[in-house]
Amino acid sequence: MNPVQGGLLSATSAEEWIHDFDCDQAGQLTFTADANESDQSCSRVRATTESPTEAMPSTSRTT
């Protein structure tokens, strides 16, 4: 995906053990993943980009 000039990146997860999302560096998303002590073997992180001229997110990717 090409970066959007002046765009905003945000990320979320429904799981408490995935937290401290940092989107401050261009083209980089970092977060903390604690030990997963639940019955689930995985979880999703949703990363969304929003261009400065759009009110709604322009791209959403779940990994």
Side-chain angles (χ1 to χ4, degrees):
M1 176 174 67
N2 292 328
V4 177
Q5 182 68 25
L8 302 173
L9 174 65
S10 62
T12 59
S13 176
E15 303 299 326
E16 290 181 9
W17 55 273
I18 303 174
H19 56 91
D20 293 339
F21 294 96
D22 183 353
C23 304
D24 291 340
Q25 297 293 321
Q28 182 175 321
L29 165 64
T30 61
F31 56 91
T32 300
D34 296 332
N36 177 4
E37 297 179 8
S38 72
D39 293 338
Q40 291 182 327
S41 61
C42 64
S43 184
R44 295 178 189 255
V45 171
R46 181 180 173 138
T48 305
T49 58
E50 183 177 333
S51 74
T53 59
E54 294 180 330
M56 298 296 291
S58 59
T59 303
S60 178
R61 181 177 176 188
T62 302
T63 55

